[in-house]
Amino acid sequence: MSDHEIRVLADEEHRAANTLFRAAMHAPKAGAEDWALEARGYQPGRTLGAFDEELIGTAQSIDSDLTVPGGGTVPLAAVTRVGVRADRVRRGVLSGLLQRQFADFAERGTVAAALHASEGAIYGRFGYGVATTGRSYAVDRRIARLRPEVPSGGEIELLDTDTALDRLPRIYAGLERLRPGMLARPSYLWLSEEPFLRQADTPLRAAVHHGPRGADGYARYLVSRTPGSPVTARVVDFHAATAEAFAGLWRFLLGLDLVDVIETRSRPLDEPVELLFTDPRACRVTGVRDEIWLRLVDVPAALAARERDADPLVIEVSDPRLPANSGRYLITPDEVTRTDRPPEITLGADTLAMLYLGGWRPSALAAVGRLAAANADAERTADRLFRARRAPWCGTFF
Ligand SMILES: CC(=O)SCCNC(=O)CCNC(=O)[C@H](O)C(C)(C)COP(=O)(O)OP(=O)(O)OC[C@H]1O[C@@H](n2cnc3c(N)ncnc32)[C@H](O)[C@@H]1OP(=O)(O)O
């Protein structure tokens, strides 16, 4: 372990943290213009710095809310911009930063934390688990024909960048609870995006769908034209509250002149895009990958906040990094209480985080040794308790 101090950075230190993070990701330092925009995405008091003689590591978080199964929400910390200077890695700097975050989160009443991981082998040891999975695909616009029964959809309105920045936050706020795993997007998350939104060479477009009750979906996309390559519309943000909005936005994307391919990344696993087309192979899956990693900071509060429509079940959780979570819980439809009864399901905090939003079946995790069930009945009850009505999905990059 290295000898380092960890403290909250002052606002005027955010740029140094940003430069360190960018260097850790092998990205250049932000220019003055970009930094003027990026700085506004830093929530004051929420960026940690690790120091020996100088700044050697950083981790940031932003307050949000997470939609949980059943439609409720819990306070969430969106963790981002984590980096350690390349000459100080593997000396416990990240471990110190994350442990300090957990202490801060617990003190603030934050129930869960989430992040997008740069690599899959880092965060499990800290009690984070893969809670949602995303599917990426490419639609060949040249052969994609909509089936006749696909809804026609409502009106589409195309917004310029300034209007999008003004209106999309409010439109998204009406869509943020469509699925477990979705986040409220506080202004800091939108402001973090602004430099990207304003990229001059590939302007980002926003198409808003209007249904009978107003704006009920949108797609943000940018079109890249590289000589010798198919012209590609890359969809970077897409939400639809209704079947009509979903179909209407796809109808619009398919109508984009001069575009050959429409690419989307990290979409919900149960989104039926290929079923829109007469030839489902017009939609080619290009990847399936972990989307958000979840960490339950307050296990009893998290369990109490989600729906619990199953027979009573006793689970035993082990959480060496946040020992207050360790113990046995009796989970019933009415309440979640500590208990001394023998456990029916035994699991680590990272595995519980994987189950929490409904992204994995407990029986599947038992099959690979990630949890132990006392008997087949317990496994069946756990499968029912943690099942998902819709595939959980976040849909926000941070
Ligand atoms: C949410 C986000 O922002 S994701 C972006 C994360 N940042 C990056 O990927 C930038 C490049 N990488 C880095 O900055 C650093 O290597 C980090 C942040 C990933 C790790 O920081 P470190 O200070 O080296 O981590 P630390 O020394 O605390 O390691 C803790 C444990 O994780 C392991 N670990 C750390 N990084 C990795 C890795 N990339 N792959 C596998 N294991 C890792 C360590 O071996 C150690 O294991 P141990 O507990 O068994 O000893």
Side-chain angles (χ1 to χ4, degrees):
M1 299 285 275
S2 76
D3 200 7
H4 58 267
E5 177 214 352
I6 291 176
R7 64 170 172 80
V8 176
L9 298 182
D11 291 0
E12 56 274 17
E13 295 172 300
H14 288 167
R15 182 153 198 196
N18 185 267
T19 302
L20 188 151
F21 167 69
R22 282 168 164 262
M25 300 298 285
H26 309 297
K29 181 178 173 174
E33 209 175 306
D34 275 351
W35 175 244
L37 292 173
E38 238 182 294
R40 297 185 297 156
Y42 278 70
Q43 183 174 348
R46 299 303 295 276
T47 303
L48 295 176
F51 294 83
D52 45 24
E53 276 96 46
E54 40 197 321
L55 184 67
I56 56 168
T58 184
Q60 189 197 350
S61 62
I62 295 173
D63 284 325
S64 175
D65 290 301
L66 173 74
T67 299
V68 303
T73 62
V74 296
L76 178 92
V79 172
T80 181
R81 297 194 180 103
V82 175
V84 172
R85 223 170 73 175
D87 58 354
R88 299 292 202 283
V89 296
R90 309 303 178 266
R91 300 174 193 192
V93 177
L94 172 69
S95 309
L97 287 164
L98 293 191
Q99 204 61 39
R100 171 64 187 270
Q101 276 193 334
F102 292 155
D104 290 352
F105 296 161
E107 203 172 306
R108 300 166 68 84
T110 303
V111 170
L115 54 79
H116 292 267
S118 57
E119 291 182 274
I122 303 172
Y123 292 101
R125 76 195 73 233
F126 300 107
Y128 281 91
V130 175
T132 66
T133 302
R135 192 170 74 120
S136 301
Y137 43 79
V139 173
D140 188 336
R141 180 176 170 268
R142 294 159 297 194
I143 60 167
R145 298 281 169 273
L146 290 171
R147 291 174 60 93
E149 68 274 24
V150 169
S152 56
E155 285 294 319
I156 297 287
E157 180 190 14
L158 199 57
L159 306 184
D160 63 30
T161 304
D162 285 320
T163 316
L165 282 168
D166 179 46
R167 283 180 45 199
L168 287 187
R170 265 170 292 141
I171 296 175
Y172 176 81
L175 305 170
E176 70 191 24
R177 289 166 79 168
L178 295 176
R179 286 175 185 268
M182 290 185 70
L183 307 190
R185 289 188 189 170
S187 61
Y188 297 109
L189 283 181
W190 283 105
L191 290 168
S192 294
E193 285 244 307
E194 196 168 327
F196 177 62
L197 274 161
R198 291 197 182 279
Q199 271 179 11
D201 47 343
T202 48
L204 198 69
R205 311 286 182 203
V208 176
H209 181 274
H210 293 273
R213 282 178 295 282
D216 54 7
Y218 69 85
R220 288 197 289 149
Y221 64 95
L222 32 87
V223 178
S224 54
R225 307 186 67 170
T226 313
S229 304
V231 179
T232 303
R234 214 151 39 86
V235 179
V236 295
D237 195 18
F238 182 119
H239 301 278
T242 63
E244 286 71 23
F246 176 68
L249 287 165
W250 267 104
R251 201 178 279 280
F252 169 78
L253 292 168
L254 291 167
L256 287 173
D257 283 338
L258 310 179
V259 167
D260 300 311
V261 179
I262 299 157
E263 280 182 5
T264 72
R265 269 187 33 203
S266 212
R267 301 296 309 162
L269 288 179
D270 59 358
E271 187 172 72
V273 172
E274 58 273 61
L275 302 185
L276 293 171
F277 309 123
T278 50
D279 176 357
R281 291 189 193 175
C283 174
R284 185 170 53 85
V285 174
T286 53
V288 176
R289 217 179 85 162
D290 51 282
E291 191 205 19
I292 56 164
W293 292 64
L294 188 70
R295 206 315 168 187
L296 302 180
V297 177
D298 183 336
V299 164
L303 290 171
R306 83 187 297 289
E307 69 180 343
R308 301 177 305 277
D309 178 19
D311 290 337
L313 185 74
V314 177
I315 68 168
E316 181 165 62
V317 181
S318 84
D319 192 350
R321 303 237 178 212
L322 277 170
N325 284 328
S326 294
R328 294 179 193 168
Y329 299 91
L330 170 63
I331 304 170
T332 74
D334 301 324
E335 56 182 0
V336 176
T337 47
R338 297 254 183 192
T339 182
D340 292 330
R341 281 163 55 170
E344 296 165 280
I345 297 287
T346 307
L347 76 183
D350 57 334
T351 306
L352 184 60
M354 292 174 76
L355 297 178
Y356 181 73
L357 295 174
W360 303 91
R361 285 168 73 87
S363 52
L365 295 186
V368 292
R370 293 293 294 268
L371 65 79
N375 52 54
D377 276 352
E379 205 170 278
R380 265 193 297 278
T381 303
D383 275 358
R384 183 174 166 86
L385 178 64
F386 291 107
R387 79 192 181 290
R389 291 171 211 277
R390 301 187 76 184
W393 174 71
C394 175
T396 297
F397 191 76
F398 51 91

